[in-house]
């Protein structure tokens, strides 16, 4: 059976002056999410976009919204993004010590919950009971904060290790990888067990976007 691979274009790399038509360019493509990088200039040095833009994107997007919180205070965003039509909400493991509480807060208010690890954070920090609670584990393949960075190769072994643990636990979470992904990395990541790939620069720097997405998942 062919595995379903989701591609999640990172809106950070889109043309912000025509966001609606940028989103509409993906309307005919299947198995896609729109990845929204929410940065607060504290957890990461950079600042992106916040509530007014996310709200408008939620009204016009024809694919599920995937919000990636890179913020010091995830609880504020979890509470205030309710009603914004977000499908998956991911927070960083490193941004809190209250993992169980945040997971339950998201589960109570959104269809899907994700937890993210910085490149140097080992997958061993995630206990089995957490892995059975979440829908997405996001492995960062660049240091969070900026689009257009270079993929960090040791992430391949993290994907393999997480995939093995998923099999052992018979858990259902998706393995999402984010940062610096082009077609060569995509094939290696999918082969090792990744099923959800975020790509910004690679997709938006070279239209037509559907051709780029086909190159990221050639066999699916
Ligand atoms: C980095 C962000 C990524 C980034 C991906 O902090 O979380 O989602 O925008 O963009 P590219 O594919 O350009 O690395
Ligand atoms: Zn991201």
């Amino acid at each position: 059976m062919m595995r379903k691979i989701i591609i999640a274009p990172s809106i950070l790399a889109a043309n912000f002056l025509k966001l609606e038509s940028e989103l509409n360019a993906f309307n005919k493509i299947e198995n896609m999410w729109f990845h929204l990088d929410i940065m607060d200039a504290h957890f990461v040095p950079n600042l992106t976009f916040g509530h007014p833009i996310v709200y408008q994107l939620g009204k016009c997007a024809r694919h599920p919204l995937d919000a990636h919180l890179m913020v010091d205070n995830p609880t504020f965003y979890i509470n205030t993004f309710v009603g914004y039509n977000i499908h998956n909400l991911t927070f960083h493991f490193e941004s809190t010590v209250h993992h169980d509480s945040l997971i339950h807060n998201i589960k109570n208010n959104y269809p899907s919950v994700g937890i993210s690890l910085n490149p140097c954070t080992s997958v061993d920090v995630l206990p089995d009971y957490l892995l059975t609670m979440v829908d997405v584990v996001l492995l960062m393949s660049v240091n969070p904060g900026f689009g257009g960075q270079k993929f960090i190769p040791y992430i391949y072994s993290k994907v393999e290790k997480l995939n093995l643990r998923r099999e052992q636990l018979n858990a259902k979470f998706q393995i999402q990888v984010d940062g610096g992904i082009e077609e060569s990395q995509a094939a290696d990541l999918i082969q090792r067990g990744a099923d959800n790939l975020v790509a910004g620069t690679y997709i938006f720097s070279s239209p037509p976007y559907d051709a780029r997405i086909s190159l990221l998942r050639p066999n699916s």
Side-chain angles (χ1 to χ4, degrees):
M1 199 182 71
M2 204 92 90
R3 280 168 59 214
K4 180 168 115 175
I5 306 297
I6 292 176
I7 304 292
S10 169
I11 299 309
L12 191 55
N15 182 341
F16 277 38
L17 294 181
K18 47 175 194 162
L19 276 180
E20 187 168 14
S21 63
E22 289 279 69
L23 294 199
N24 284 337
F26 297 94
N27 281 353
K28 294 206 175 79
I29 306 171
E30 290 184 350
N31 298 326
M32 268 195 44
W33 287 1
F34 287 126
H35 185 82
L36 310 183
D37 288 307
I38 311 298
M39 305 184 189
D40 66 348
H42 287 271
F43 181 71
V44 290
N46 202 4
L47 190 62
T48 53
F49 45 83
H51 292 72
I53 290 183
V54 175
Y55 179 70
Q56 295 297 339
L57 292 173
K59 287 210 291 189
C60 70
R62 295 289 167 266
H63 294 294
L65 295 188
D66 170 34
H68 174 196
L69 299 180
M70 287 160 274
V71 299
D72 267 356
N73 184 358
T75 302
F76 170 73
Y77 292 84
I78 295 166
N79 292 340
T80 52
F81 278 162
V82 173
Y84 280 33
N85 197 25
I86 290 170
H87 173 71
N88 178 68
L89 193 55
T90 291
F91 67 94
H92 264 263
F93 177 86
E94 301 86 355
S95 67
T96 179
V97 291
H98 302 290
H99 305 109
D100 180 84
S101 147
L102 261 60
I103 288 169
H104 284 98
N105 189 352
I106 297 175
K107 271 179 176 294
N108 288 337
N109 290 292
Y110 301 86
S112 172
V113 54
I115 190 156
S116 178
L117 301 182
N118 280 336
C120 237
T121 306
S122 166
V123 298
D124 295 337
V125 301
L126 303 175
D128 290 351
Y129 45 82
L130 185 151
L131 289 177
T132 60
M133 289 194 274
V134 295
D135 302 289
V136 174
V137 177
L138 165 53
L139 298 179
M140 289 304 299
S141 43
V142 296
N143 288 295
F146 300 90
Q149 302 181 79
K150 210 168 158 339
F151 182 89
I152 298 172
Y154 64 70
I155 303 306
Y156 291 128
S157 63
K158 290 179 73 176
V159 174
E160 276 174 4
K161 191 167 187 176
L162 190 59
N163 187 41
L164 194 61
R165 289 189 63 196
R166 180 169 60 176
E167 283 170 12
Q168 286 163 349
L169 288 168
N170 197 20
K172 300 283 177 262
F173 60 86
Q174 296 179 37
I175 300 177
Q176 184 181 50
V177 186
D178 179 12
I181 296 178
E182 301 184 347
E183 61 197 83
S184 58
Q185 289 90 5
D188 287 345
L189 290 167
I190 292 168
Q191 189 247 325
R192 286 169 169 80
D195 19 49
N196 186 320
L197 303 178
V198 178
T201 309
Y202 177 76
I203 292 175
F204 285 100
S205 65
S206 180
Y209 305 148
D210 53 346
R212 291 305 239 185
I213 289 184
S214 301
L215 287 168
L216 289 171
R217 51 174 178 197
N219 302 315
S220 45

